Every structure is written in C-alpha cells, then in structure tokens.
Amino acid sequence: MELQAIEALLKEYELGETSKAEETQLALFFKSSSVPEHLEHYRSLFDYFYNSRQQQYTTKLKFRSTYFEFKRLSVAASVIILLGLFLNYNLELKNNQYSEEELFVYDQTKTALEMLSTNFNKGTSQLNSLEILSKTLQKGEENISFLNIFNTTTHKIFKINK
Amino acid sequence: MSESEYIALVDPFKTKLFRFAKRFLVSIEEAEDATQDVLLKLWKMRDRLGQYKSLEAFAMTITKNHCLDRLKSKQAQNLKITHNNHKDHRYELQKDIEVSDSIRLIEKFITTLPVQQQLIVQLRDIEQYEFKEISEVLEMNETAIRVALSRARKTLKEKLIKAHRYGITSN
C-alpha cells in the first residue's frame, strides 16, 4: 500500500473514524519491514496491541464453591483414615500367624513357666504351716492376758500393796 | 445446559473477559479471580442467557460492573489501587510473555490515560470490537466513544513521538 494512503488512514485513525478493516490494513502495514522512520513510533503501538492479544486465560473453571470443596475434602480425609485403620488391623491379624519355630519356642517357654509356677505353689503350701504356728502363738498371747488378770486378782486377795 | 456445554459456550470470549478485567484490576491474580467470579455468575443464570442478543457483550458488561465493584470495595478498605502503585508488580508476573521495553513503555502510557479511555482502547484496538459492541458493553453512545478513542489515540501518539525523539524507548 502506498505511503500516502497509509498516512491518510492514520489521520482518520487518530480521529476514531477508521473502520475495523482499515485498522487491520494499518496493523498489517506496521507488521511489515518497510516502515519509514517518521512512522516508526506507530509500529511499537501496533506491536503492543498485537502482543496484548496473545495473553490467554487458561484457568479451568471451578463450578463448585470452596465450601463444597472443603466438604468433599473432609469426606475424602475420613475415608483415608478409615482405610488406614482397616489396613492396619488386617496387618496385625497377619502378624499373629507365627511360624512353626516360633510356636515351638513359645510352647517351651510356656511349659518352663508352668513348672516354675507349680514349684512356687508348693513353696506357698509350706508357708501354711508357718501360718498355723502364728495362730497358735496368738492364742498363747491371749492366754497370757488371762494370767495377767489372775495375777491382779491374787494381788487383791492377798492385799499386797505395791 | 451441562457444565461442558457451558465451558464450550464461554470459551470463545473468556480470554477477552480476563484481559478486560486486567485492564481494571491490573494484577493478573485479581483479574483471574474476577474472571472466575464472572463465569460462575453467568453459570448460575444459565437458564436466562438465551434472552441476550450477544452473550459476549453481556459477559463483558458483567465483568465491567464486577471489576468496578471490586475497585470500590478496595477503596473502602483503604487499599487504593492506583495504577502507578502496581506497575512494577505487574511486570514481574508477566514472565510468560516476552516484554520488550517499548511495549512496557506503551503499557505505562496507557495506564496514565483516564480509565474510560483505557477501556475503549482495550476494546477497540486490542479486542477489535465494533463501535456498536463497545457501546453495548460500556453503555455509552457511539459518538462519545469515538471522541474518547480519538483523544486516547492522540495522547498516545504524542507521548510515543516524544519518547521516540528522545530515544527513551531504547532504554
């Protein structure tokens, strides 16, 4: 396009009189490499307009409000916790299944502890005789108190003054 | 209307909503939030969308009102968003786009225009809307839009010539 025509268009452009088609013509002209020095300032302007059109909005639209999202998140969290507990429980069940070797050692330990327990019981039964002795001693003590009463009474009878 | 149908419906213009919101709110995050809010608002009224001649223009109007409300509540919280406070912040966020110095400079020039002129430049020169569509979105008559656009273009031209003459663009 001739330079004169461009200059005429620029005048109209400045007045806000150009049509969209004419503005496209201008944009194309300033995109080309043959922009004369005295119109160079317009090139950066049209560059700017072109550049501004390149910025895109790519954020995905969220249809639910954050409140519902929080709700959904808490549901998901509780499901995870329950699942975790369940798996943990299952794991413990599995751990209870011991190997044969372990069971053998367990039985041995059990019999050893049983033997210890019966011997201990024998020991305690012998302690019972000590208990009888203790009871007899207590009876003897009571008898001594009778003796004391007897003693004071005889003192009264014989009027022995201390 | 299913969710996927709705996504397909708004897909052709959702980026325009975002860029329009960014013109108001300046920061990319805020513009993304605003776009999300507007799209959800439209989703909630999906049964009534058929009555609008141009869904895109309607969506843009909703975006405009939403952003104005956001700015108002910001001011109420005493967190004034003036465009100048934010300019450095914005460029840090625009990592994905190669920003040359001259583009940066023009961005700065545009943000110093009155807000209405900024919006008109956005809709006409960037989004390439017809004047009729712009008047629908901004609820202004076409003559007033042409006048404002002409003022904006003149201001930008003068600033650019000045910058070009003194070689500021090469900084």
Side-chain angles (χ1 to χ4, degrees):
Chain A
M1 192 183 266
E2 278 182 43
L3 195 60
Q4 277 184 327
I6 291 292
E7 280 172 350
L9 271 185
L10 279 176
K11 268 199 187 104
E12 278 185 52
Y13 174 79
E14 209 177 284
L15 294 170
E17 303 285 331
T18 37
S19 68
K20 250 173 75 175
E22 288 167 334
E23 285 170 20
T24 314
Q25 277 185 341
L26 285 175
L28 277 173
F29 172 78
F30 285 106
K31 248 196 145 180
S32 71
S33 50
S34 57
V35 178
E37 178 62 30
H38 71 286
L39 294 178
E40 189 64 30
H41 55 274
Y42 267 119
R43 190 168 62 176
S44 50
L45 187 63
F46 281 94
D47 266 0
Y48 170 82
F49 293 148
Y50 176 78
N51 211 293
S52 302
R53 276 193 287 276
Q54 305 313 308
Q55 189 169 21
Q56 295 294 314
Y57 175 75
T58 48
T59 316
K60 253 189 126 188
L61 184 58
K62 280 180 244 128
F63 283 95
R64 278 154 204 91
S65 67
T66 44
Y67 171 69
F68 280 107
E69 247 173 43
F70 179 73
K71 259 187 150 181
R72 288 163 97 205
L73 202 74
S74 57
V75 169
S78 51
V79 166
I80 287 169
I81 289 170
L82 283 175
L83 202 73
L85 286 175
F86 177 72
L87 285 178
N88 203 25
Y89 179 68
N90 268 6
L91 222 65
E92 261 173 33
L93 276 186
K94 263 187 197 162
N95 280 350
N96 280 344
Q97 289 160 359
Y98 296 109
S99 67
E100 272 184 43
E101 202 184 336
E102 282 170 328
L103 279 174
F104 177 71
V105 173
Y106 174 74
D107 278 340
Q108 291 239 312
T109 322
K110 206 173 151 189
T111 45
L113 281 173
E114 262 168 20
M115 271 166 70
L116 184 72
S117 158
T118 45
N119 282 334
F120 192 78
N121 280 340
K122 274 185 197 164
T124 45
S125 66
Q126 277 168 3
L127 277 179
N128 279 346
S129 50
L130 261 181
E131 215 174 292
I132 295 163
L133 184 72
S134 145
K135 270 183 191 164
T136 336
L137 267 176
Q138 268 183 346
K139 273 186 189 163
E141 229 178 322
E142 276 167 31
N143 290 341
I144 284 172
S145 64
F146 285 134
L147 255 181
N148 273 345
I149 296 166
F150 175 73
N151 207 11
T152 46
T153 334
T154 45
H155 275 288
K156 276 178 186 168
I157 292 169
F158 296 111
K159 289 181 181 168
I160 294 170
N161 287 323
K162 272 184 181 173
Chain B
M1 195 189 296
S2 73
E3 289 182 2
S4 57
E5 278 171 341
Y6 177 73
I7 288 172
L9 185 71
V10 297
D11 198 60
F13 57 82
K14 64 172 194 205
T15 290
K16 292 183 192 172
L17 301 184
F18 165 68
R19 293 195 292 237
F20 195 43
K22 191 165 155 280
R23 187 58 70 198
F24 281 95
L25 303 171
V26 180
S27 104
I28 288 181
E29 282 98 338
E30 288 209 45
E32 278 176 350
D33 287 352
T35 312
Q36 175 83 22
D37 291 346
V38 167
L39 289 175
L40 272 184
K41 226 180 241 181
L42 288 173
W43 165 249
K44 277 179 195 147
M45 52 190 293
R46 57 191 175 279
D47 299 330
R48 283 171 285 149
L49 291 182
Q51 71 189 60
Y52 297 99
K53 266 185 292 169
S54 160
L55 181 58
E56 179 173 334
F58 177 64
M60 289 292 261
T61 311
I62 298 260
T63 306
K64 182 196 73 178
N65 294 333
H66 184 81
C67 291
L68 286 176
D69 286 349
R70 277 282 260 275
L71 287 176
K72 259 183 221 158
S73 71
K74 277 266 149 61
Q75 280 174 338
Q77 290 164 27
N78 218 359
L79 286 167
K80 261 197 180 172
I81 295 225
T82 61
H83 292 293
N84 297 338
N85 294 348
H86 266 255
K87 64 175 192 275
D88 290 328
H89 191 50
R90 168 172 21 179
Y91 297 126
E92 279 166 31
L93 294 169
Q94 248 177 356
K95 282 174 203 142
D96 50 338
I97 294 171
E98 194 62 41
V99 188
S100 77
D101 284 340
S102 66
I103 282 170
R104 235 177 243 221
L105 192 72
I106 293 166
E107 179 75 30
K108 201 176 113 190
F109 290 161
I110 290 181
T111 53
T112 55
L113 293 173
V115 175
Q116 199 177 58
Q117 288 182 24
Q118 286 184 42
L119 299 180
I120 292 171
V121 167
Q122 174 75 25
L123 292 176
R124 179 67 186 185
D125 281 324
I126 294 171
E127 306 301 355
Q128 298 169 313
Y129 275 34
E130 294 287 0
F131 284 109
K132 198 166 163 283
E133 293 169 312
I134 300 175
S135 84
E136 262 181 69
V137 173
L138 298 182
E139 293 151 310
M140 281 172 72
N141 72 58
E142 288 185 35
T143 320
I145 291 168
R146 280 177 199 272
V147 170
L149 181 65
S150 172
R151 274 189 199 138
R153 283 173 173 173
K154 274 180 187 158
T155 313
L156 288 177
K157 189 188 100 177
E158 277 158 26
K159 288 195 171 183
L160 276 168
I161 288 176
K162 229 181 185 177
H164 203 68
R165 191 179 298 151
Y166 295 113
I168 297 170
T169 42
S170 58
N171 279 354

